[in-house]
């Protein structure tokens, strides 16, 4: 049996074609079902529906043999105990620093001021600002980071941006690009050894599906 951990929403939707390429079709739609374990058309493959940030934890501890997680999530998790064989090139976005329109970010940095930064991505943010020599006070949030600068909780946020629509709708502008993000396949290191014969064809099917996608 192979157990694959993934989250509902964009990751599930963008993984569906990759699963199909490997001949795997979920028996139910996780968006509609309340089930957390979703069987598939293959008796030896099942899906676990977990929070995006919990995928690495399930795979690391063997609750799932493999999973699909954003690089944003993997950087924060640390990747310990995970084999990361493939960039699936799905759920792509950019990790950015953003501020309220009119906030002089470059000026504040230049004068060496401390900047208050709200984010869910504390490790990524800490490393980014340290590498630039920018002094920051980090404020940990779990979502809706865009709100923080609007109510004076922070001067800046570190968040993911795809269309830019959310920043725009909230009067924010991106001022720095930190890194490009996409989702990775993560595999439990013990499963990789004990279930190689089952896993290998999945990796191969995913690889050729990715290669046939436009870049
Ligand atoms: O939503 P929930 O709290 O349940 O969990 P989650 O946000 O961790 O999960 P989900 O499903 O929203 O995101 C899963 C993964 O998708 C993330 O870990 C990223 O790797 C990837 N991804 C790709 C994104 C985005 N694009 C994205 N745009 N994750 C989040 N966003 C958010 C962003 O945080 C911001 O609030 O969308 C908003 C910006 O979008 P635009 O299009 O307005 O720029
Ligand atoms: Mg979300």
């Amino acid at each position: 049996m192979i157990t694959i951990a993934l989250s509902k929403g964009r990751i599930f939707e963008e993984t569906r074609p990759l699963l199909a390429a490997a001949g795997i079709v979920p028996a139910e739609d996780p968006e509609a079902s309340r089930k957390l374990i979703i069987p598939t058309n293959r008796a030896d493959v099942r899906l676990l529906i977990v929070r995006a940030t919990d995928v690495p934890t399930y795979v690391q501890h063997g609750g799932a043999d493999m999973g699909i997680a954003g690089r944003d999530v993997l950087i924060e998790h640390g990747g310990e105990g995970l084999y990361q064989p493939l960039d699936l090139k799905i759920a792509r976005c950019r990790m950015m620093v953003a501020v309220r329109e009119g906030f002089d970010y470059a000026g504040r940095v230049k004068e060496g001021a401390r900047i208050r930064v709200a984010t869910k991505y504390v490790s990524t943010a800490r490393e980014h600002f340290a590498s630039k020599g920018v002094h920051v006070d980090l404020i940990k949030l779990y979502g809706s980071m865009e709100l923080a600068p609007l109510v004076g909780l922070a001067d800046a946020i570190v968040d993911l941006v795809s269309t830019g629509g959310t920043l725009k709708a909230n009067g924010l502008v991106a001022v720095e690009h930190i890194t490009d993000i996409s989702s990775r396949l993560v595999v439990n290191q013990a499963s990789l050894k004990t279930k190689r014969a089952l896993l290998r064809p999945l990796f191969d099917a995913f690889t050729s599906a990715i290669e046939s996608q436009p870049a």
Side-chain angles (χ1 to χ4, degrees):
M1 169 71 80
I2 298 179
T3 303
I4 306 173
L6 76 184
S7 53
K8 285 200 274 198
R10 70 187 99 221
I11 294 211
F12 181 82
E13 290 312 323
E14 296 191 37
T15 300
R16 202 196 282 274
L18 298 178
L19 291 172
I24 299 166
V25 181
E28 284 182 58
D29 179 358
E31 305 296 340
S33 171
R34 289 180 185 273
K35 276 194 193 160
L36 299 175
I37 301 179
I38 308 270
T40 71
N41 61 322
R42 278 183 45 179
D44 61 347
V45 180
R46 61 179 186 170
L47 309 180
L48 291 196
I49 305 300
V50 303
R51 284 296 290 264
T53 40
D54 290 334
V55 167
T57 309
Y58 273 90
V59 175
Q60 174 187 6
H61 297 288
D65 299 298
M66 61 186 236
I68 293 154
R71 202 165 74 84
D72 50 319
V73 166
L74 291 169
I75 295 169
E76 292 296 313
H77 171 271
E80 196 195 326
L82 299 175
Y83 173 63
Q84 298 183 30
L86 270 182
D87 179 354
L88 299 172
K89 300 188 176 154
I90 60 168
R92 288 205 250 191
C93 56
R94 303 173 307 283
M95 181 84 73
M96 309 282 288
V97 181
V99 299
R100 236 175 129 153
E101 246 167 72
F103 179 85
D104 183 13
Y105 176 75
R108 296 293 294 276
V109 166
K110 215 168 171 186
E111 66 195 26
R114 287 193 84 81
I115 293 171
R116 293 168 306 148
V117 179
T119 188
K120 176 163 141 184
Y121 306 102
V122 172
S123 301
T124 312
R126 186 179 294 114
E127 197 180 307
H128 171 73
F129 293 111
S131 77
K132 297 216 135 198
V134 177
H135 303 290
V136 293
D137 291 318
L138 294 174
I139 300 161
K140 167 83 185 186
L141 290 178
Y142 292 87
S144 304
M145 272 81 82
E146 294 88 355
L147 193 55
L150 305 184
V151 296
L153 183 66
D155 304 311
I157 61 171
V158 167
D159 196 7
L160 302 175
V161 178
S162 43
T163 62
T166 307
L167 291 184
K168 197 159 186 228
N170 291 290
L172 303 176
V173 287
V175 288
E176 227 160 56
H177 173 267
I178 300 179
T179 186
D180 287 332
I181 299 289
S182 58
S183 290
R184 308 285 164 112
L185 192 64
V186 293
V187 184
N188 175 273
Q189 289 180 344
S191 302
L192 185 68
K193 298 196 184 88
T194 57
K195 300 187 180 180
R196 189 178 284 272
L198 274 172
L199 292 173
R200 192 77 242 174
L202 292 190
F203 297 172
D204 291 345
F206 288 173
T207 305
S208 45
I210 298 159
E211 280 167 1
S212 69
Q213 295 279 317

